[in-house]
Amino acid sequence: QKEVEQDPGPLSVPEGAIVSLNCTYSNSAFQYFMWYRQYSRKGPELLMYTYSSGNKEDGRFTAQVDKSSKYISLFIRDSQPSDSATYLCAMESDRGSTLGRLYFGRGTQLTVWP
Amino acid sequence: DSGVTQTPKHLITATGQRVTLRCSPRSGDLSVYWYQQSLDQGLQFLIQYYNGEERAKGNILERFSAQQFPDLHSELNLSSLELGDSALYFCASSVGDRLNEQFFGPGTRLTVL
């Protein structure tokens, strides 16, 4: 079992829809959670960075972390065609020899059509 | 633009050869991370350097090595290349050595023929 699981999709939605992207994980030591957006053949771009459980909002993006369920989500409101990309979740432990390294999900490919 | 630069953008080489990938971190960042992204494995952590010293090691093959220089730029050396080494190689940087936001460069696409 991979430490971070993410449904690869693809996910296709109409412009203006609310998009929900999710990841599950198995390592209870993960404390820091990130969402990256990656356009085709480009480097991942950091969207959201959260610590422990709770919600964080930034414009049209909301990140949620539920540590009790080992489940994180990214919501995109009023989705736009420019949001079409692959979304990667990433996690980091706060202890031990794994400090500093990120564990990534495989990414969910999102297409928002006009 | 993340502020992290990587050269070259593309690299095409043959099996058995050796290549060097270069990364310059964002101004002020002391940590450099190397990741490999392939279709079958996704994004995998290879190695981290902080202020010139190796700090963490991931799934890096013995044929691969890296270093960080006094000016904080880093190089990833890949030797005895195999077809399976074809992938995107990303460098990321952060201010500290842990629990910091990591910013990724545009990547180097390596093709081994």
Side-chain angles (χ1 to χ4, degrees):
Chain A
Q1 180 192 10
K2 283 181 68 69
E3 297 208 54
V4 182
E5 298 281 358
Q6 183 176 9
D7 185 342
L11 188 59
S12 182
V13 301
E15 183 175 356
I18 296 175
V19 176
S20 172
L21 304 165
N22 312 292
C23 288
T24 59
Y25 62 95
S26 56
N27 188 345
S28 59
F30 288 147
Q31 295 287 341
Y32 291 81
F33 305 92
M34 288 134 271
W35 286 95
Y36 284 84
R37 176 174 63 194
Q38 186 175 24
Y39 293 112
S40 181
R41 296 176 176 266
K42 302 290 186 183
E45 173 195 4
L46 182 64
L47 283 177
M48 303 285 281
Y49 183 88
T50 56
Y51 170 70
S52 199
S53 284
N55 295 357
K56 183 175 181 179
E57 189 173 319
D58 184 0
R60 296 184 295 112
F61 298 90
T62 299
Q64 285 186 353
V65 175
D66 182 349
K67 290 193 64 188
S68 62
S69 302
K70 295 190 177 66
Y71 187 86
I72 70 170
S73 302
L74 178 70
F75 298 95
I76 307 174
R77 290 184 299 279
D78 187 25
S79 56
Q80 302 295 311
S82 59
D83 295 328
S84 299
T86 297
Y87 289 79
L88 299 145
C89 63
M91 306 178 189
E92 184 176 359
S93 167
D94 68 346
R95 68 191 77 147
S97 62
T98 55
L99 271 172
R101 64 175 292 180
L102 297 183
Y103 293 82
F104 280 86
R106 293 296 301 273
T108 299
Q109 186 179 344
L110 171 67
T111 300
V112 181
W113 42 275
Chain B
D1 185 355
S2 67
V4 179
T5 60
Q6 289 187 248
T7 56
K9 284 187 178 179
H10 303 278
L11 205 47
I12 301 175
T13 188
T15 55
Q17 294 299 304
R18 172 189 169 94
V19 296
T20 297
L21 313 183
R22 183 188 168 100
C23 167
S24 292
R26 295 186 318 159
S27 177
D29 285 359
L30 298 179
S31 266
V32 168
Y33 310 79
W34 286 98
Y35 291 86
Q36 179 193 58
Q37 187 175 41
S38 60
L39 282 175
D40 57 338
Q41 292 291 327
L43 204 53
Q44 298 278 317
F45 170 76
L46 295 178
I47 197 163
Q48 177 201 3
Y49 278 82
Y50 175 74
N51 205 20
E53 293 189 1
E54 182 183 304
R55 192 55 66 102
K57 214 166 187 177
N59 305 320
I60 188 167
L61 300 171
E62 285 192 12
R63 301 182 285 107
F64 296 1
S65 65
Q67 55 183 327
Q68 187 179 27
F69 295 86
D71 68 352
L72 301 176
H73 90 272
S74 177
E75 292 181 357
L76 179 67
N77 300 296
L78 315 177
S79 61
S80 303
L81 285 167
E82 302 175 359
L83 296 178
D85 297 327
S86 295
L88 269 168
Y89 291 83
F90 288 106
C91 166
S93 73
S94 69
V95 171
D97 65 338
R98 62 192 67 184
L99 307 177
N100 291 141
E101 300 173 6
Q102 295 184 22
F103 296 89
F104 281 73
T108 293
R109 180 171 294 278
L110 173 67
T111 302
V112 183
L113 300 175

